[in-house]
Amino acid sequence: MRKILVTGALGQIGSELTMLLRKEYGNDNVIASSRRYKEGHDKLMESGVFEILDVTDGKQISEIVRKHKINTIIHLAAVLSAVGEANPQQAWNINMNGLYNVLEVAREEGCSVFTPSSIAAFGDSTPKDKTPQDTIQRPNTIYGVTKVAGELLCDYYFHKYGVDTRGVRFPGLISYETLPGGGTTDYAVHIYYEALKSKRYTCFIAKGTKMDMMYMPDALKAIVQLMEADPAKLKHRNAFNVTAMSFDPEEIAASIRKYIPEFELDYDVDPVRQAIAESWPNSLDDSAAREEWGWSPDYDLDSMTKDMLEKLKVKLGL
Ligand code: SER
């Protein structure tokens, strides 16, 4: 029986993943944690245990893992790309020391670990189209540096200590439950909110800039599928390319116009996030994930747009 600890449980992925895991593994078997309590998570708070946990404090992780007899850690607490560039020292501390502490506790207590990597683990010298699973990884953001180092560290703990570490390289994630916390791909979430609220959006990423993206239900499916995959079939572990779609701002706007024809898009490009976006792939090759654990997404751009707009309309009371 799995006893799961989720770090960063109030973030964009964690807030939805925790609820799904509680449904699948039982409310008592999924402990949510976050550095601080945030408003607006009543459902999550009421459905099971919540612990305040700062992942830069290894002792705290160890105490919570022992207290709840945790055997699986889903480590989501991290600083994203744009926020990372504003404070690289903090990004290194939370992303690297946080992961190191989680892996050390996992080694001592015999836990398995899932932690996401990102398209940010690639850089300017990586092939941009159909980016292979195994390729050049020389990112130039602190977020990307921590993601590559994290992939290597997770593989190291598997080979050296037998810790069952697994991960995926997530593209930009689009969801309606909790906003992303300061990434480069966030425009693809904000655009839906603004399309419904004001029928126009000013985009901080330039026309023609393609990035990989995925709808949250597919991201959650990827985590659970990989966590439950037969280890004998995994040739890779940290971390698998996964993707669902690739688009630029004009293409997502065109998809929105199928439902909101008067929607207008203009641009006020942020040079920091634009440079980050340009250093990332246009589209990933996810064939290793498909072959080794049966990955395949359910949503494309139009089916995501339809669902996002329906769900957000209800959420925003429109
Ligand atoms: N969505 C993330 C970001 O933009 C990528 O992992 O930072």
Side-chain angles (χ1 to χ4, degrees):
M1 170 58 82
R2 279 197 194 271
K3 200 80 203 266
I4 304 171
L5 170 67
V6 182
T7 73
L10 305 185
Q12 189 196 10
I13 304 174
S15 58
E16 295 196 44
L17 181 67
T18 301
M19 298 308 288
L20 176 78
L21 293 175
R22 284 185 173 160
K23 217 161 74 195
E24 299 215 349
Y25 298 92
N27 285 1
D28 298 339
N29 294 323
V30 182
I31 311 302
S33 71
S34 172
R35 194 151 52 121
R36 53 178 173 263
Y37 173 72
K38 291 182 211 144
E39 291 296 322
H41 293 279
D42 296 351
K43 266 191 295 178
L44 188 142
M45 295 293 161
E46 283 158 17
S47 60
V49 176
F50 174 80
E51 296 271 9
I52 293 287
L53 170 60
D54 178 349
V55 294
T56 63
D57 182 347
K59 218 169 122 241
Q60 257 188 53
I61 305 175
S62 170
E63 280 165 10
I64 289 172
V65 163
R66 285 196 198 151
K67 177 174 156 193
H68 297 286
K69 301 190 169 52
I70 298 293
N71 56 29
T72 305
I73 305 175
I74 302 197
H75 177 48
L76 304 175
V79 169
L80 289 182
S81 59
V83 172
E85 287 315 291
N87 191 344
Q89 292 73 18
Q90 183 204 43
W92 178 267
N93 186 32
I94 294 177
N95 293 12
M96 252 11 272
N97 294 334
L99 177 60
Y100 171 75
N101 290 337
V102 163
L103 289 169
E104 272 296 285
V105 172
R107 175 178 72 80
E108 283 166 358
E109 303 295 330
C111 302
S112 53
V113 176
F114 174 93
T115 195
S117 184
S118 161
I119 50 171
F122 300 113
D124 284 320
S125 49
T126 304
K128 289 253 183 284
D129 296 303
K130 284 268 155 217
T131 302
Q133 173 65 38
D134 301 305
T135 185
I136 301 164
Q137 292 184 265
R138 306 286 294 176
N140 51 16
T141 61
I142 191 69
Y143 177 67
V145 169
T146 66
K147 287 299 175 190
V148 178
E151 290 185 8
L152 294 172
L153 197 60
C154 286
D155 271 346
Y156 183 82
Y157 270 73
F158 171 66
H159 290 298
K160 178 89 176 173
Y161 300 117
V163 177
D164 184 350
T165 55
R166 305 178 187 198
V168 294
R169 295 181 184 130
F170 273 135
L173 297 181
I174 292 151
S175 64
Y176 53 85
E177 192 71 41
T178 306
L179 284 168
T184 302
T185 55
D186 297 15
Y187 90 86
V189 178
H190 300 159
I191 197 169
Y192 286 110
Y193 280 79
E194 291 309 313
L196 284 168
K197 286 198 273 190
S198 52
K199 304 204 181 330
R200 54 175 308 129
Y201 178 66
T202 302
C203 189
F204 59 77
I205 293 295
K207 194 184 227 175
T209 313
K210 279 195 183 258
M211 285 185 278
D212 281 275
M213 301 281 176
M214 185 182 290
Y215 196 31
M216 188 58 82
D218 279 329
L220 303 182
K221 185 175 92 164
I223 295 174
V224 175
Q225 250 182 25
L226 176 55
M227 229 171 68
E228 296 300 345
D230 176 359
K233 299 216 169 97
L234 301 181
K235 290 192 219 93
H236 297 85
R237 277 178 169 270
N238 302 286
F240 286 93
N241 284 2
V242 286
T243 188
M245 59 192 96
S246 164
F247 56 74
D248 89 315
E250 292 295 321
E251 288 167 293
I252 187 172
S255 177
I256 290 171
R257 280 190 202 107
K258 291 181 185 162
Y259 303 92
I260 307 173
E262 63 276 39
F263 176 64
E264 281 175 37
L265 178 65
D266 60 12
Y267 294 87
D268 180 12
V269 173
D270 167 21
V272 174
R273 283 178 288 190
Q274 181 60 27
I276 296 175
E278 281 173 18
S279 77
W280 290 353
N282 298 332
S283 67
L284 297 184
D285 174 355
D286 61 2
S287 50
R290 288 173 184 269
E291 279 157 29
E292 292 176 40
W293 48 277
W295 161 249
S296 124
D298 293 326
Y299 287 88
D300 62 12
L301 176 54
D302 283 339
S303 53
M304 173 177 78
T305 297
K306 182 171 183 289
D307 200 59
M308 262 306 270
L309 291 174
E310 279 169 14
K311 299 281 170 43
L312 261 186
K313 227 184 213 167
V314 176
K315 181 180 172 177
L316 300 172
L318 298 167

